[in-house]
Amino acid sequence: MIEKEIKKLIMERYGSVAAFSDKIGLPNSTMDSILRRGIGKANVENVMKICMELQISIDGLRHGII
């Protein structure tokens, strides 16, 4: 599941989802929802923010590659 990999990357780099959420300007509840419900259900703008900050290719993410 790609969300688990994203969360692991966030924890390694930022220490918490809340710290990452603050960094990219999303409410923690929104980021938590994305990680629980799936990134495919997230707003495109939010996915772009996540990918840009984590330096993940959006196209790669689409194919399950981080």
Side-chain angles (χ1 to χ4, degrees):
M1 197 171 183
I2 197 78
E3 292 79 18
K4 288 182 181 181
E5 292 181 44
I6 291 171
K7 186 172 183 176
K8 180 180 175 190
L9 191 58
I10 289 169
M11 297 303 287
E12 288 172 358
R13 293 187 186 178
Y14 299 89
S16 71
V17 173
F20 178 74
S21 297
D22 287 343
K23 176 77 175 168
I24 64 172
L26 285 180
N28 188 44
S29 59
T30 299
M31 191 65 217
D32 184 57
S33 177
I34 290 169
L35 293 173
R36 280 186 295 104
R37 294 178 3 148
I39 199 148
K41 296 179 180 175
N43 174 301
V44 173
E45 184 177 329
N46 291 343
V47 174
M48 289 174 45
K49 287 179 182 181
I50 292 166
C51 288
M52 287 177 26
E53 184 62 32
L54 294 176
Q55 298 176 337
I56 297 171
S57 161
I58 294 172
D59 190 49
L61 182 66
R62 189 180 72 141
H63 296 291
I65 301 168
I66 293 184

